[in-house]
Amino acid sequence: MKNFQLVFLFIFLTTNFLLIGPIAFSQNQSSTSQPFDIEVVEVPEVLVFSVKKEIQDFSQELPQLIHNSVVELTKMGGKPAGPLIVLYYLENVDFNQTLGKILTEVAWPVDNAQYSNNQLPKIKAARIMFKGPYQGMNAVYQSVHSWLAQKHYKIVYPTREIYHNDPATTPAEELLTEILIPVEELKE
């Protein structure tokens, strides 16, 4: 694996996953003044090599999980064929309490089935392309949760975050994160 990819993983994770609770899992239904383009899209299935683990200390455990997964993939002769995808499995969570351990999946797209151990299913998802520093993602999650309630959708976990560029080589204001929140229409 190239050095810049390892640098990306460790810088990204050590500096940004401290924010995971208030950012990625906020279900605050208040609206925000900053508009984001939110669309509901069909996301195709994705062939991946992935590893799941319950994580509580994201700043320590997630970088290690990412590192171990890419090492395992490369030992098999494979390599990532796309950007890192991280999935968060949460259901019926009371966000006013400590989240505790969260089942987290690190997934690397692969282009050859011999390196795959999983296939992420096709989903209908609210999609947001967020450009900017990771610290700004809290407003994105607040906006999308409010939007989903207004449009009569419910969230079907796990959520996905796809990191399209490298924070070690990309200015913070140019970082591109794709947020996919699987949804179902509420029956009235």
Side-chain angles (χ1 to χ4, degrees):
M1 178 176 198
K2 295 180 181 177
N3 286 340
F4 81 89
Q5 289 173 312
L6 287 174
V7 170
F8 161 75
L9 293 176
F10 288 102
I11 290 175
F12 168 73
L13 293 168
T14 57
T15 60
N16 295 300
F17 276 99
L18 292 173
L19 303 169
I20 201 69
I23 294 173
F25 306 119
S26 172
Q27 286 209 353
N28 183 345
Q29 295 294 321
S30 66
S31 62
T32 64
S33 59
Q34 185 171 1
F36 297 96
D37 290 332
I38 303 169
E39 61 182 337
V40 175
V41 298
E42 296 289 330
V43 179
E45 56 193 24
V46 181
L47 196 61
V48 297
F49 177 81
S50 70
V51 178
K52 286 184 189 177
K53 182 180 179 184
E54 283 191 330
I55 293 179
Q56 186 163 0
D57 181 356
F58 279 84
S59 66
Q60 295 294 316
E61 296 176 70
L62 191 55
Q64 190 63 50
L65 183 62
I66 291 172
H67 174 75
N68 291 347
S69 68
V70 80
V71 166
E72 191 173 335
L73 175 60
T74 56
K75 279 184 180 177
M76 295 184 326
K79 64 180 181 178
L84 173 65
I85 304 169
V86 179
L87 297 90
Y88 303 100
Y89 294 80
L90 294 171
E91 292 187 42
N92 303 319
V93 175
D94 179 355
F95 289 94
N96 294 319
Q97 297 186 11
T98 304
L99 291 177
K101 290 188 176 186
I102 299 169
L103 183 59
T104 304
E105 181 174 6
V106 170
W108 296 100
V110 294
D111 55 9
N112 189 321
Q114 81 180 65
Y115 304 119
S116 173
N117 65 354
N118 194 9
Q119 183 169 309
L120 301 181
K122 176 182 174 179
I123 58 171
K124 181 177 187 175
R127 177 177 173 251
I128 304 93
M129 293 299 292
F130 176 71
K131 185 176 181 181
Y134 298 127
Q135 294 82 355
M137 289 172 56
N138 190 29
V140 175
Y141 276 93
Q142 289 177 2
S143 292
V144 74
H145 284 279
S146 178
W147 185 88
L148 290 172
Q150 292 171 4
K151 300 293 184 182
H152 305 288
Y153 285 104
K154 75 172 186 171
I155 299 172
V156 183
Y157 293 97
T159 59
R160 302 178 189 182
E161 290 183 359
I162 304 172
Y163 303 98
H164 288 278
N165 47 19
D166 180 349
T169 59
T170 305
E173 59 277 356
E174 297 297 318
L175 292 172
L176 189 60
T177 307
E178 182 175 358
I179 301 167
L180 295 169
I181 302 176
V183 295
E184 289 179 352
E185 290 184 47
L186 290 172
K187 296 190 182 351
E188 295 185 37

